[in-house]
Amino acid sequence: MKPYIRRIGTSDRCSIWLVDGFWVRNNVYIDFVEGGHGYVYPKFIPKNEIWIDQDVRVTERKYVILHEVCERRLMKQGASYSVSHKRANEVETRARRRL
């Protein structure tokens, strides 16, 4: 069994996939939470993919996707995970406050 459920979009020529997070945690990486991409998890997510856990509420998905797209873009440009994650958190927080 593979974790892919369905492709839900694209960004920067990167496919965004809804995946079975339960399967990922049980078979690949126990700490997989909400989402990830190939620059953070190169051992199991291709570089041109973002994975979003299907258990993330539909109303939350746009924020998780925004976070992952931002973080991936910065890492692709050479920024470290810690810098990219912090910046992505700031972008996500601003987006959430604009409700």
Side-chain angles (χ1 to χ4, degrees):
M1 180 179 178
K2 301 254 183 187
Y4 298 98
I5 294 173
R6 72 176 185 279
R7 195 169 110 174
I8 58 173
T10 59
S11 177
D12 296 334
R13 291 183 280 180
C14 176
S15 296
I16 302 170
W17 288 90
L18 200 59
V19 298
D20 183 343
F22 182 78
W23 187 93
V24 174
R25 287 184 289 281
N26 283 317
N27 293 283
V28 182
Y29 186 65
I30 196 168
D31 289 327
F32 180 78
V33 178
E34 292 187 340
H37 52 82
Y39 285 87
V40 173
Y41 304 120
K43 291 185 179 181
F44 63 94
I45 301 178
K47 291 262 186 181
N48 64 341
E49 293 183 8
I50 292 172
W51 289 6
I52 304 299
D53 189 336
Q54 70 174 342
D55 291 335
V56 173
R57 290 181 181 188
V58 173
T59 55
E60 293 286 307
R61 285 183 191 163
K62 63 185 171 187
Y63 302 113
V64 176
I65 291 168
L66 177 64
H67 176 102
E68 298 301 336
V69 166
C70 178
E71 184 180 271
R72 181 184 177 277
R73 188 175 293 148
L74 291 168
M75 290 185 74
K76 185 177 179 183
Q77 294 171 355
S80 68
Y81 169 74
S82 59
V83 168
S84 300
H85 185 70
K86 181 180 179 195
R87 180 72 179 120
N89 278 341
E90 292 167 356
V91 169
E92 179 183 347
T93 298
R94 279 198 311 275
R96 287 178 179 276
R97 288 184 178 155
R98 285 189 205 129
L99 293 172

